[in-house]
Amino acid sequence: MTEVFRSGQLYGTGLPARMTPREARTRAFDPRRRGVDPEQVRAFQTEVADELTDLHRQIRRLTWRTSG
């Protein structure tokens, strides 16, 4: 069974929306006068996106094992 995500949510399940790795990587922040280091923000976003990628992969694998 192929899982289809729409807006970070598994289509047709009624489950709450999940943040996707792409959303974490591309999130923009409003500039501030004394803002944060943009390179640190991007590094953190990459770390979060990588973690989400791994978690989504594990969920798909576990879902496939229990439904197959």
Side-chain angles (χ1 to χ4, degrees):
M1 176 179 159
T2 302
E3 297 175 353
V4 178
F5 285 87
R6 301 220 173 126
S7 300
Q9 182 176 358
L10 189 57
Y11 184 68
T13 63
L15 297 173
R18 297 182 188 133
M19 180 182 291
T20 66
R22 182 177 184 280
E23 289 171 326
R25 280 189 174 89
T26 60
R27 179 74 179 254
F29 298 90
D30 295 332
R32 297 284 185 242
R33 184 174 179 183
R34 295 181 184 214
V36 295
D37 182 350
E39 290 181 22
Q40 288 180 341
V41 172
R42 292 290 177 217
F44 178 74
Q45 286 177 309
T46 299
E47 185 179 337
V48 170
D50 290 345
E51 181 72 19
L52 285 169
T53 298
D54 184 52
L55 290 171
H56 285 215
R57 188 178 301 121
Q58 289 179 36
I59 290 168
R60 280 193 304 272
R61 189 180 71 239
L62 292 170
T63 302
W64 179 77
R65 283 184 182 175
T66 59
S67 65

